[in-house]
Amino acid sequence: MPQLLFQTDPARDASSLALHAALPVRAGHYDELRLPADAAGGATLRPVWARFFELLGPEGLRDMNRNAEAVSRQIQENGITYNIYADADGPTRPWSLDLLPFIIDQNDWRLIERGLAQRASLLNQIMADIYGPQTLLAEGLLPPALVQGHPGYLHPLRGYVPPGGVYLHIVAFDLARNSDGNWRVVSQRTQAPSGLGYLLENRITISGMFPAAFSELRVQRLAASYRRLIDMLHQLSPAGADGAPPRIALLTPGPYNETYFEQTYLARYLGLTLVEGGDLLVRDDQLFLKTLHGLERVHALLRRLDDDFCDPLELRSDSTLGIPGLLQAMRAGNVLVANALGTGPLESPALHGFLPAISRRLAGEPLVLPSLHSWWCGEAAACEQALPLLDRAVIKSTYPGSRQRKGFESQIGAGASREQLQALRARIEQSPDAHTVQAYLPLSQAPTWHKSRIVPRAAMVRMFALADGQGGWHVLPGGLTRIANRQQQIVSMQRGGSSMDTWVTTDGPVDLFSMQPASMRPEDIAQIRRPVSSRAAENLFWMGRYTERIENDARLANVTLNWLNGDLNPDGLSGALAKLCMRSGLMPAEPPRSARVFEHTLVAELASRDPQRGFGRNLSSLTYAAGQIRDRLSPEHWQLIVSAGDRYHRLIAGDRTDAAAPLDTEPDAPPRTAGDVQRGLRRLNRQILSITGAQTDHMTRDDGWRLLTIGRHTERLAAMAGMLAVLFQDNAILRDGGFNLLLQLFDSSITYRAYYQGRYEIPALLNLLVLDSNNPRSPACSLKVLHARLPRLPGNGADLPGLLPTPDMDVTLSRLCERDEHGRYANVLALADRLEAAASALSDEIGRRYFSHSADVDQSLVAA
């Protein structure tokens, strides 16, 4: 309904306006918004929605478009993303969230809660059986092909019993309503179920849009469920020898995973250490985190990595994401992995056809929530029943996610042509055990907001059951509702779907528990230290280096283009400038033939969007390093970094809008002029200054921050030494403009003029640029910072300053000003070489000692 309705009919109440703004649902689908039409053909809102719009009021309806824009803006500002493809080249897009919530009343909730708790318990019993006595196989209640023949069944874990006998700690169930409003379980996720982070972000965003409705409808809160999750992991974790609280980490596949944002978000919310496989190692059948302080014991992993990638020793040998020896640490009882490995068979859609009988056998009761009717074609009788139903069914892989079935997608037979159905039938007959047929479910239609209209969309709800560690289950009172786009009935975020916040209402009390922990004692606070993993430390170190490198290279490029396009003839300095640009990777390693060729080549290199080339490589490397430690960066800091490259390339392509959206141009589209490049460089320099400001003023002064600072000053020391070497080589510093050129490259022109007005003296230049520790661009200042920071690194960092000259560099100004028999400033050149070598040696030693752990590990640092 157009916005005009809300403005011209103020007498109508909000429920009536909403009803008239709602488009009709597809025939044969359950309407989540409206009750069925009465005998007179009239429609009314369902009571919970009538109450929602009553609380919203006509004024609230008039603000809906503005609120929808606010939701999109908040998602952009918070950097909430979803990777479309799980690879390095795949695009990311902002998380999609609808303004309206999906509402479940308490009557539906009681049934769902009881049914999901029953199913979670049943699945855990199945895990105990298939890795234990295998009674279900012996009694014919489960076919061996769905267990021992399943690619996800891990034979190395046969006989393994996890801590507390809990195999499943989190189970996700995808539910939907059929046309008569009854709930059906469509699928279950047991390996590494996603959604707990996104649903929390959805709740925070949408509850803030409708605070009155959220309160008056008595929507169940979520925080207590997350506290239960953490308490359960603590309870089941194997205790350390010293009785200290267990360390729990969240294992992520890394920043290219589809749901990496929610993994970082969830780790921060739960207070867990976010780790990748490379951060961990197994020693003496125990799991350790590589940190700057040495190896620290990890007692539990909340994993978001699929089973077969977790241990390259016993599972996929080509996995670079896992932890060699993890299975052995599990079997030794030294680490809790949630969920336990080997749950792949539980995700097979074929299992649904066998669950009713298994429930009667193991639980002595029927399923409270039925599954979709499912036929595993590996059974001849089931296949015979299923084949005539293909035109009103969904055909799925029996072994989803396995390498054997890579690329196989669910296919809807309903509406398919005769030729397509024949092809489906032939495929099933060729490999019957690999296919499962499920009844087609016309998904219920949820109300969504789109440009002043309420538009129905197909919806499926993902809900989560959490183990309590004592045999019981808690169902989180909410969920992640996913909706299809208008043209599709398949719910998939990968295919452009969206999400909704999920409200569960109650007439009873609302749990107001907060995740804020209990009051701490002073002695507790004194012992808190946030661990810095070696991987995080390495990326912080290189983030500092790349930030500094981009700033120096941008200044060099801008100064060079100014000289090439200035009134003065730059021939006397073109050789020195070319050497500097080649050293920095801004030019190919070949001297330009003329000033015009020099400018053209430099502009082309600066304009290239190739992430493996020159300036583009530095920009992409900074983003990559920051992405690896996103959980340590504020949303504002992260946005500054990821937008820097896009905004730079927009401006050099001549786009004056300076928008943050990606360009639609070719990767190497030529810029209009060198002026466009300089405009982009100036804008980039301002953004880099903002990034360094965030690093300096808004990051906690822990070991990670010290390494970031050390990285910046190590890079600065090497860069400034290189500039001195080039400009003093062959006395380029004495040529026309050479003096001012070096001042510009050191960003010290204003300071020099303030100190030495009208005087262009080499001693004054060397004093300011080399020896003055108050000048932040001088080697003396960088050495002073490094000598102060390095001894504060953990372990034996006190000896690292020995790799560097002292801040006074054991040199006097008079010695630096001496010239040899050839008229060269030999001592300046020697000092520049010594500084470059020292910076390189320091970087190598820090990497060896703290990042690769190739140095001998001090066993006293290994926490029990």
Side-chain angles (χ1 to χ4, degrees), residues 113 411 690:
E113 184 178 31
Q411 186 164 344
S690 299

Side-chain angles (χ1 to χ4, degrees), residues 110 187 195 262 278 316 334 414 459 471 516 540 550 640 650 685 710 734 842 851:
R110 291 191 189 102
S187 61
E262 82 149 0
R316 283 187 64 155
N334 292 327
Q516 292 293 332
L540 283 163
I550 291 168
L640 280 172
R650 292 194 74 88
N685 188 61
I710 289 167
L734 300 178
L842 176 64
F851 307 152

Side-chain angles (χ1 to χ4, degrees), residues 728-749:
F728 275 87
Q729 186 75 33
D730 300 327
N731 285 337
I733 189 72
L734 300 178
R735 297 177 188 144
D736 288 345
F739 198 98
N740 283 326
L741 174 62
L742 192 60
L743 284 174
Q744 291 178 59
L745 293 176
F746 272 68
D747 196 23
S748 298
S749 299

Side-chain angles (χ1 to χ4, degrees), residues 3-292:
Q3 183 74 15
L4 183 62
L5 172 64
F6 300 147
Q7 296 173 342
T8 60
D9 201 355
R12 305 180 75 169
D13 59 40
S15 295
S16 176
L17 290 171
L19 189 61
H20 282 79
L23 297 179
V25 303
R26 295 172 182 262
H29 294 258
Y30 183 84
D31 190 341
E32 296 284 351
L33 178 68
R34 289 166 288 214
L35 292 168
D38 56 25
T44 57
L45 296 179
R46 296 187 182 277
V48 69
W49 279 109
R51 179 61 175 153
F52 176 90
F53 286 112
E54 177 186 336
L55 292 166
L56 193 62
E59 288 294 328
L61 273 174
R62 277 189 276 272
D63 289 336
M64 290 287 277
N65 287 337
R66 188 182 304 114
N67 288 342
E69 293 172 359
V71 167
S72 297
R73 187 165 54 251
Q74 185 170 334
I75 287 172
Q76 291 272 8
E77 291 173 353
N78 291 346
I80 309 171
T81 57
Y82 181 81
N83 294 353
I84 303 301
Y85 305 109
D87 60 36
D89 299 321
T92 62
R93 66 174 171 90
W95 178 248
S96 183
L97 174 61
D98 193 75
L99 179 61
L100 293 175
F102 187 94
I103 304 178
I104 300 173
D105 66 30
Q106 64 176 352
N107 293 326
D108 280 336
W109 176 246
R110 291 191 189 102
L111 175 71
I112 291 171
E113 184 178 31
R114 189 160 58 92
L116 295 188
Q118 178 201 45
R119 277 179 170 263
S121 177
L122 184 63
L123 293 176
N124 195 74
Q125 292 179 71
I126 293 174
M127 279 291 293
D129 181 76
I130 64 177
Y131 284 97
Q134 297 191 339
T135 304
L136 296 174
L137 276 69
E139 297 181 0
L141 294 172
L142 262 181
L146 294 184
V147 179
Q148 296 166 332
H150 194 292
Y153 183 80
L154 303 185
H155 294 271
L157 289 179
R158 177 73 193 279
Y160 167 69
V161 178
V166 180
Y167 293 83
L168 302 174
H169 308 82
I170 306 170
V171 186
F173 295 95
D174 291 329
L175 285 77
R177 290 190 205 259
N178 61 14
S179 57
D180 60 9
N182 292 319
W183 290 95
R184 295 287 185 271
V185 176
V186 178
S187 61
Q188 55 225 9
R189 295 289 179 265
T190 55
Q191 290 194 62
S194 62
L196 281 173
Y198 284 126
L199 76 86
L200 186 62
E201 182 67 36
N202 286 358
R203 171 58 55 86
I204 292 171
T205 301
I206 299 304
S207 62
M209 293 291 138
F210 308 111
F214 185 80
S215 176
E216 292 297 322
L217 290 177
R218 306 185 68 80
V219 179
Q220 294 278 34
R221 308 300 175 93
L222 304 175
S225 298
Y226 289 88
R227 171 52 60 189
R228 286 188 174 97
L229 171 61
I230 290 298
D231 290 345
M232 176 267 294
L233 294 175
H234 276 83
Q235 175 189 332
L236 295 178
S237 297
D242 57 1
R247 179 180 300 286
I248 304 172
L250 193 153
L251 177 62
T252 171
Y256 296 127
N257 184 258
E258 290 96 333
T259 59
Y260 182 69
F261 166 81
E262 82 149 0
Q263 294 160 27
T264 63
Y265 183 86
L266 194 60
R268 186 183 293 121
Y269 183 74
L270 297 178
L272 307 181
T273 304
L274 186 71
V275 298
E276 294 183 23
D279 297 329
L280 304 166
L281 62 84
V282 173
R283 176 171 295 175
D284 298 328
D285 294 341
Q286 295 184 2
L287 186 65
F288 292 95
L289 173 66
K290 295 182 285 188
T291 77
L292 292 182

Side-chain angles (χ1 to χ4, degrees), residues 88-89 256 546 585 605 608-621 624 649 667-668:
D89 299 321
Y256 296 127
Y546 283 121
E605 288 295 318
S608 173
R609 293 173 65 89
D610 186 347
Q612 302 301 320
R613 182 171 148 192
F615 199 59
R617 180 174 63 242
N618 292 335
L619 288 169
S620 63
S621 296
Y624 176 83
H649 283 292
D668 289 311

